[in-house]
Structures are given as structure tokens and as C-alpha cells.
Amino acid sequence: MASPLIYSPSSRPSPLAFPVSTKKSSAASLDGPKAWGLLCGTRRRVAVIVNGSNDEKKGKGGEDDRPSFNPFGFVTDNPSSRSAIQLPESPAEDGNVGQMLYRIEDKGKEYGSYVKSGKFRWFVRETGSSDNPRGTVVFIHGAPTQSYSYRVVISQMADAGYHCFAPDWIGFGFSDKPQPGYGFLYTEEEFHAAFDRLLATLDINSPFFLVVQGFLVGSYGLTWALKNSNKITKLAVLNSPLTVSSPLPGLFQKLRFPLYGEFTCQNAVMAERFIEAGSPYVLKLEKADVYRLPYLESGGPGFALLEAARKANFKDILSRIAGGFSSTSWDEPILLAWGIADKYLPLSEAEEFQKRNPGVVKLKPIEGAGHMPQEDWPEKIVEALRTFFWTKY
């Protein structure tokens, strides 16, 4: 009989169960206590309960109708990957983390390349060129995601005549992930300084359009803007915390608890579940693959997120954002393109922010979109940005 399907909390590089081959008479087809005993063995480990009988796998249409092998089926209960675990009939389809990475390692790098800036390599997506007549746009993502969320937006914005850049923050996505305390401290000041160096490396010297979305590092994009208003032509904000009353999602609260945070940050499906929890939609599997890929490759992204979350003073950050963009402090045009189905930040968040500076802030509700409208409905975001950037205020 094949090895039981188990994983150890101390496994590396990430706490995932490794699928292995099994015959039709495996523990999956046995009853209750017997199957549980086979799965658990004699060691104290966490067991993963496998799917039901082989008849259930075949479905109504027979064996030919079975879905193709999904190596990540066992790590998510989302509708995009329903099974608790996949048990392939062919041993050649069995996988481990290395094989899983091999299946998806080239996914999600559209329009991207590596750029050395200072001591670190940034992964930067770029569309259009400096010859594009309508100006430069820089897109900033939030935590715990990456610039992949902007892939459709930057493609269509380049077609509309803009030169677009969408970097992965240091510690996120495909950019370098230095160990906390060794060359990068994951503080707001460090992120700002690294971003300044990146802009210089990319030769972005003239004022540009800035688009910001999301929590934590997304907020750092806004606090950077407050310190560099002379470098910004117009500012667009997509679903980001903007007031002192902005709720903090449970993920960031968990990260701040000792020990619990260390376990939470190493959850390989953390990013995709965070996205889906704030959206009316479920990610397609090919998209979920990309968001979880950095967290599968190593523990680095998780520990970077952990360090950044613990060093962030959320109340102070939000207080500075709320006050800094008020009518007495900011006079550059601002667009709030807001996914109204956001389960983290309701539309009232944007409405309250607009009231503080109604002459400058324009609110564009995006129907059918959630916390990441650039992922949920990129075409509507492109339309809103093009209108905002082109209109003279």
C-alpha cells in the first residue's frame, strides 16, 4: 500500500500535504476507523481526509468525464478546486511540491522583467513605451497580493496611449524577499526609500499618474504620495483603507499575534483566499496558481508579510492618510474607483473620504467588483482611469 497522505507541521518549504499514488483499494475506499487508522499511522501528525469512493470520482459520464489532475486540489476548499485531495490513478501523475512548482513556475509573469535597483531585484511589469503620448502610469498593489492583478489593466492602458509600470513590492510577488533585518527592515520608511530608488532606476523623472490599491503596502503608496505630491499628476485609488475607522481584515490581525502569526503567514493559499473573501467571485484555478506561487516557492514572502504587518502602525497610517488628503492639505485630482461589492471596505468608506475634500475627490462606484476591482472587472477600471486621466480639472 502507498504511503499515507499526511503532512508534518515542520515540513519544508511550506506546510502542504504531498499527494502520492494509491490503488483503488486505498484508504479512500475504506470505512471510518479503519481508513482513519491507515491515514494517521502511528505518528502524531495532521491527517488529511481524502475524497469519497471511486464511483464518485467517475461521475455520471464515466471515467472519461473525470477532471484532469489538479495538484493543488488538496489545499483549498474553494469551488475553483473543490476536492480535499486528488488521488491520480496513474503514478506518473503523482506529485510533490517540486513537481507542483514545475507545473506553474512560468505562469503569471506577463509583461514582466527583473530590474536591479540598489541591492535588490524588483519584478516590474511594463507596457507601452516612453514614446506613448499620454504619460506614465505607476500601479501599486496591496498585501498580500502582487502586480499580477494589474496585468489586464496595464495592457489596455498601453493600447490607450499610456506607458505603464506595475512593480511587485520588495518581499512580494516575484521580487526579492530579503530576510527581515538583513538588508531590509520592512518598515514604511524602507519601502518608501526602495520605491524612490526604483523610480530613479526606471528613469521616471517627470510627474506621473499614480494608481494605488489595497492594504499595508498599498497604504504605503498613499503615504509616499503625501510626501511627494510634486511628482504626481493625478492620483487614482482603488479600494484602499482611507479613514481612521477603516476595518482591518482578520488576516492582518492574526499576523500580529505571536506564534499564531508565524503559522498564518506560511499558509500557501493565503493570498487567493484573501482575494476571494473580499470579492463576489471565485478565482479561476489558473489565476489562483499565480497568487499562491510565491508562497509555495519559499517561506520568504510569508515572513516578509509577517514582518511588515507587525511593524505597521495602522492607526497612525490611516490618520495621516485621512488628514493628508483633506481639503486643507491636498489639491491634486483624486479618483476613487471603488468596487461596491468589497467585503472589507464598503462604499461608505469612499463616501466619507470624499466628503473631506469634495472639490478634488471624484467617486466612481464600480458595480460587480469587489476589493480588487482591477482583477474582478479590469475593463471598467480602464474606462474609469482613461476618463479621469484625460479630463482636465
Side-chain angles (χ1 to χ4, degrees), residues 188 192 212-227 235 237 240-246 313-330 334 336 338 349 352-354 356-357 361:
E188 179 181 359
H192 285 178
V212 174
Q213 188 275 327
F215 289 92
L216 190 55
V217 286
S219 294
Y220 290 163
L222 291 175
T223 56
W224 180 90
L226 288 173
K227 297 193 299 184
L235 172 64
V237 182
S240 303
L242 298 173
T243 68
V244 292
S245 60
S246 297
N313 185 335
F314 289 101
K315 288 185 178 180
D316 175 66
I317 293 168
L318 293 178
S319 177
R320 283 185 281 129
I321 289 173
F325 290 106
S326 66
S327 58
T328 58
S329 306
W330 185 272
I334 298 177
L336 303 182
W338 209 267
E349 176 87 0
E352 180 182 346
F353 181 81
Q354 184 188 32
R356 294 175 176 271
N357 198 344
V361 179

Side-chain angles (χ1 to χ4, degrees), residues 10-24:
S10 61
S11 60
R12 291 289 186 268
S14 61
L16 297 173
F18 292 9
V20 295
S21 63
T22 181
K23 299 178 181 178
K24 290 187 177 181

Side-chain angles (χ1 to χ4, degrees), residues 188-305:
E188 179 181 359
E189 293 74 18
E190 288 266 14
F191 280 112
H192 285 178
F195 186 59
D196 283 328
R197 289 190 291 269
L198 177 64
L199 292 176
T201 301
L202 296 176
D203 199 27
I204 302 176
N205 301 311
S206 302
F208 58 90
F209 302 109
L210 180 64
V211 180
V212 174
Q213 188 275 327
F215 289 92
L216 190 55
V217 286
S219 294
Y220 290 163
L222 291 175
T223 56
W224 180 90
L226 288 173
K227 297 193 299 184
N228 297 274
S229 60
N230 61 316
K231 297 180 180 180
I232 297 173
T233 304
K234 291 182 179 179
L235 172 64
V237 182
L238 319 179
N239 294 68
S240 303
L242 298 173
T243 68
V244 292
S245 60
S246 297
L248 187 65
L251 169 63
F252 300 103
Q253 298 179 37
K254 294 175 184 177
L255 289 170
R256 297 167 77 85
F257 281 99
L259 190 59
Y260 191 25
E262 277 75 5
F263 279 98
T264 299
C265 77
Q266 294 304 305
N267 181 353
V269 298
M270 169 177 52
E272 70 193 75
R273 288 191 171 173
F274 179 84
I275 294 169
E276 292 181 337
S279 169
Y281 308 108
V282 172
L283 287 171
K284 291 183 178 180
L285 183 58
E286 59 267 23
K287 297 178 183 179
D289 283 346
V290 180
Y291 285 112
R292 68 167 72 108
L293 176 56
Y295 296 95
L296 280 173
E297 287 184 318
S298 76
F303 287 120
L305 175 63

Side-chain angles (χ1 to χ4, degrees), residues 1-280:
M1 177 178 173
S3 301
L5 298 165
I6 53 178
Y7 67 86
S8 168
S10 61
S11 60
R12 291 289 186 268
S14 61
L16 297 173
F18 292 9
V20 295
S21 63
T22 181
K23 299 178 181 178
K24 290 187 177 181
S25 59
S26 69
S29 63
L30 298 178
D31 293 329
K34 187 174 182 181
W36 182 256
L38 287 171
L39 285 170
C40 293
T42 58
R43 299 189 180 185
R44 293 177 59 85
R45 294 186 178 180
V46 182
V48 178
I49 302 176
V50 300
N51 277 346
S53 68
N54 289 297
D55 291 337
E56 292 174 349
K57 287 189 209 174
K58 292 179 183 178
K60 295 180 180 179
E63 294 210 14
D64 291 340
D65 289 340
R66 288 178 303 172
S68 59
F69 173 54
N70 166 20
F72 295 107
F74 60 91
V75 294
T76 175
D77 57 8
N78 296 328
S80 57
S81 182
R82 290 181 181 279
S83 302
I85 191 166
Q86 296 286 339
L87 298 175
E89 296 292 341
S90 170
E93 289 186 325
D94 288 353
N96 53 34
V97 168
Q99 289 171 310
M100 297 172 203
L101 291 172
Y102 177 76
R103 292 174 185 268
I104 65 173
E105 63 183 350
D106 294 325
K107 286 187 176 183
K109 295 186 178 181
E110 293 92 334
Y111 315 113
S113 62
Y114 287 96
V115 176
K116 185 69 178 294
S117 177
K119 297 180 291 184
F120 305 117
R121 287 193 319 160
W122 291 68
F123 183 78
V124 182
R125 301 175 197 271
E126 180 182 4
T127 59
S129 70
S130 57
D131 296 329
N132 284 35
R134 294 191 173 176
T136 298
V137 190
V138 178
F139 294 83
I140 298 298
H141 71 84
T145 63
Q146 52 171 292
S147 64
Y148 176 72
S149 64
Y150 288 114
R151 66 199 177 280
V152 178
V153 172
I154 63 174
S155 174
Q156 295 185 11
M157 289 296 289
D159 293 340
Y162 294 93
H163 188 195
C164 303
F165 294 93
D168 286 343
W169 281 109
I170 295 298
F172 294 82
F174 300 111
S175 289
D176 279 352
K177 303 160 188 72
Q179 183 177 346
Y182 290 84
F184 199 76
L185 299 177
Y186 293 96
T187 61
E188 179 181 359
E189 293 74 18
E190 288 266 14
F191 280 112
H192 285 178
F195 186 59
D196 283 328
R197 289 190 291 269
L198 177 64
L199 292 176
T201 301
L202 296 176
D203 199 27
I204 302 176
N205 301 311
S206 302
F208 58 90
F209 302 109
L210 180 64
V211 180
V212 174
Q213 188 275 327
F215 289 92
L216 190 55
V217 286
S219 294
Y220 290 163
L222 291 175
T223 56
W224 180 90
L226 288 173
K227 297 193 299 184
N228 297 274
S229 60
N230 61 316
K231 297 180 180 180
I232 297 173
T233 304
K234 291 182 179 179
L235 172 64
V237 182
L238 319 179
N239 294 68
S240 303
L242 298 173
T243 68
V244 292
S245 60
S246 297
L248 187 65
L251 169 63
F252 300 103
Q253 298 179 37
K254 294 175 184 177
L255 289 170
R256 297 167 77 85
F257 281 99
L259 190 59
Y260 191 25
E262 277 75 5
F263 279 98
T264 299
C265 77
Q266 294 304 305
N267 181 353
V269 298
M270 169 177 52
E272 70 193 75
R273 288 191 171 173
F274 179 84
I275 294 169
E276 292 181 337
S279 169

